[in-house]
Amino acid sequence: MHIENEIKYDFSDVLIKPKRSYYTSRKEVDLERKFSFKWSSLVWKGIPVAASNMDTVGTIGAAKVLSRHNTLTCLHKFHSVEELREIPTGIRKNVAITIGIAEGLNILYELGDHLKQFKFICIDVANGYTEQFSDFIKQVRDEFEEKIIIAGNVCTPEMTEQLILSGADIVKVGIGGGSACITRNVAGVGIPQLSAVIDCSDAAHGIGGMVMSDGGCTCSGDISKAFGANADFVMLGGLLAGHDENSEKITVDEETGEKSVKFYGMASSTALEKYYSDNMKIDYKASEGKLVNITYKGSLEDTLLDLLGGVRSTCTYIGAKKIKDISKCTTFVCVNNQLNNYFN
Ligand code: 5GP
C-alpha cells in the first residue's frame, strides 16, 4: 500500500484569477484552433469542444448542429454502418467514429470509401489500463495510419504516455468524474478531474501528444477551467444532453407540464440492457453508471452558444485572445466555496 499526500483538485475546488486584459468584447476572442498531431498527418481546425460518445449525446442529429459551429462530435458506437454512410459529407471532418475493443475494426472496414472523409477515430473503453487496450490502439494505428486517433479513458500521466506511444494522438482523460458515472462509489477509483488534466496534459505534451478532458463539466466555467488546466480538447456529456437533437423521448409531466428526458451512463444497467447480450451483462454485473431524468433543454444550438459564450467571457477576464492562450493566462486560486447559494 502507498498513499500520496498531495491534494488533487476538482473544478469546484478552484477559480480562475482575473488579470489585466486588452479585450473588452467576447467577439474579439477566437475559439478556433488549428491542430496538427503526433501521428496523424491530418490538420484539423475548429473549436476543441467535443460531444461525448454517449448514446444520449453523440448522435448524428447533434453532430449536424455542432458541426455548424466547428465543434466535434464523437458519435456513440451503436450506429449501424448504414447510418454512418448517410452522414452528410460536409460534416464528416467534425465527426469521430467511435469503436470499442469488443466491436473491433469491422465497422471501419465496412465503411470502405466512406471512411475517407472522417478524420477522427475514437477508441473508447471504460478502463484504458489494460494491455489489450494499448495493443488495440497499435492495431488501429497500423491499419489507419492517417487518422487522428482519440483513445481513453485514463487519468494518470504514465498511462497517458503509454496510450500516446501506442499510437493515440489525443488521450481522453477522466475516470469517475462524469455526471452519470458511479465508478467512484462502485469501485472507489478515480482522480479529481482538474489535477488529472494538469498532470496528464503535462505528460502528453512532453511527447507531442494531446489530451481531451472528459467528464465533470457542469457549466461553462468548468470548460474554461479544463482549458486552463491545459486540456487541448474538452468533452461534454450531461451539458449537451436533453435537447431536441439527442435521441431520448421527451416526457411531459401531466400535473406540472414539465418536460424531461432520460440521461444514463454508458455503463449503467439501462445501457447494458439496451445494447448487450446476457453474457455481457453477466460479465459486467456491477453497473457503473446511473439513470437520471433531466429537464428538457430545447435547442442544442442555444446551449452550445451559451457555453461557448462563457468560455469567451473567461478569455476577456484573463487577457486570452485565443483558446490556446487560456492556460498561459490562467492562475487558479483554491477556494473553500465558489458560489453564493442564497437563492437555491
Ligand atoms: P459529463 O460531461 O456528463 O460529466 O461526463 C461525460 C463522460 O462520463 C463521458 O464522456 C464518459 O467518459 C463518462 N461516462 C459516461 N457514461 C458513464 C458510465 O456509465 N460510467 C462511467 N464511469 N463513466 C461514464
Side-chain angles (χ1 to χ4, degrees):
M1 193 280 288
H2 183 69
I3 186 157
E4 289 180 14
N5 286 315
E6 190 194 337
I7 293 180
K8 299 285 181 189
Y9 297 101
D10 239 317
F11 296 132
S12 57
D13 296 316
V14 300
L15 286 168
I16 300 170
K17 205 168 160 179
K19 298 214 171 113
R20 189 182 304 117
S21 170
Y22 296 107
Y23 313 112
T24 47
S25 158
R26 294 174 178 197
K27 273 195 228 139
E28 292 172 76
V29 174
D30 182 9
L31 293 185
E32 288 207 356
R33 182 178 159 191
K34 194 171 170 190
F35 290 87
S36 42
F37 300 92
K38 179 176 174 73
W39 300 106
S40 169
S41 54
L42 298 174
V43 169
W44 185 76
K45 188 165 186 265
I47 300 177
V49 167
S52 167
N53 50 281
M54 299 171 76
D55 70 341
T56 47
V57 183
T59 61
I60 294 173
K64 288 179 183 165
V65 174
L66 298 175
S67 181
R68 285 208 288 270
H69 298 276
N70 265 338
T71 52
L72 192 64
T73 301
C74 293
L75 292 180
H76 68 76
K77 60 187 177 196
F78 303 101
H79 287 104
S80 66
V81 181
E82 289 67 38
E83 286 170 329
L84 297 176
R85 283 192 181 142
E86 276 165 24
I87 295 177
T89 49
I91 71 165
R92 291 183 182 182
K93 64 179 180 9
N94 292 332
V95 170
I97 305 286
T98 302
I99 57 170
I101 301 182
E103 300 80 15
L105 299 174
N106 290 347
I107 201 135
L108 301 178
Y109 293 136
E110 283 171 38
L111 274 170
D113 277 354
H114 286 269
L115 188 63
K116 276 191 190 145
Q117 289 120 351
F118 291 97
K119 293 190 171 190
F120 294 87
I121 296 173
C122 174
I123 314 174
D124 180 78
V125 292
N127 170 6
Y129 281 78
T130 64
E131 212 166 301
Q132 196 196 4
F133 184 54
S134 297
D135 291 344
F136 186 65
I137 296 172
K138 278 187 203 144
Q139 196 188 343
V140 182
R141 171 56 65 206
D142 287 345
E143 293 283 311
F144 301 94
E145 216 183 333
E146 79 290 1
K147 298 293 179 199
I148 304 160
I149 296 180
I150 306 168
N153 280 27
V154 297
C155 59
T156 51
E158 303 73 24
M159 209 55 200
T160 301
E161 283 172 359
Q162 165 79 48
L163 299 192
I164 291 169
L165 296 175
S166 300
D169 294 293
I170 305 165
V171 172
K172 277 209 292 153
V173 170
I175 292 190
S179 58
C181 166
I182 53 169
T183 295
R184 291 182 186 171
N185 311 48
V186 173
V189 169
I191 301 271
Q193 188 65 8
L194 185 91
S195 290
V197 173
I198 292 173
D199 295 347
C200 296
S201 60
D202 188 45
H205 296 162
I207 53 169
M210 292 185 185
V211 299
M212 178 179 281
S213 172
D214 176 16
C217 287
T218 60
C219 53
S220 54
D222 290 346
I223 304 175
S224 299
K225 289 175 189 176
F227 284 123
N230 235 339
D232 302 281
F233 290 76
V234 179
M235 176 170 264
L236 307 174
L239 279 178
L240 297 182
H243 300 90
D244 296 320
E245 298 81 358
N246 306 119
S247 58
E248 285 301 312
K249 273 204 319 261
I250 300 162
T251 309
V252 184
D253 185 303
E254 282 178 13
E255 276 176 29
T256 61
E258 277 170 22
K259 293 181 179 172
S260 65
V261 192
K262 281 199 179 100
F263 175 63
Y264 49 84
M266 294 312 289
S268 65
S269 44
T270 311
L272 297 183
E273 265 154 40
K274 197 163 167 188
Y275 294 114
Y276 294 100
S277 66
D278 286 346
N279 283 351
M280 281 289 273
K281 278 180 239 164
I282 292 163
D283 275 357
Y284 273 90
K285 233 167 195 156
S287 131
E288 287 191 23
K290 61 185 167 190
L291 164 69
V292 284
N293 271 326
I294 59 172
T295 306
Y296 163 68
K297 300 177 195 161
S299 137
L300 179 58
E301 185 156 45
D302 290 347
T303 298
L304 179 72
L305 293 177
D306 269 356
L307 295 172
L308 297 181
V311 178
R312 286 177 201 282
S313 177
T314 308
C315 291
T316 62
Y317 272 108
I318 62 175
K321 176 137 182 70
K322 300 180 290 201
I323 205 153
K324 200 170 178 215
D325 295 339
I326 296 182
S327 65
K328 290 182 215 151
C329 299
T330 292
T331 302
F332 289 119
V333 284
C334 295
V335 294
N336 290 320
N337 180 24
Q338 58 163 331
L339 300 175
N340 177 342
N341 291 322
Y342 180 59
F343 288 115
N344 285 356

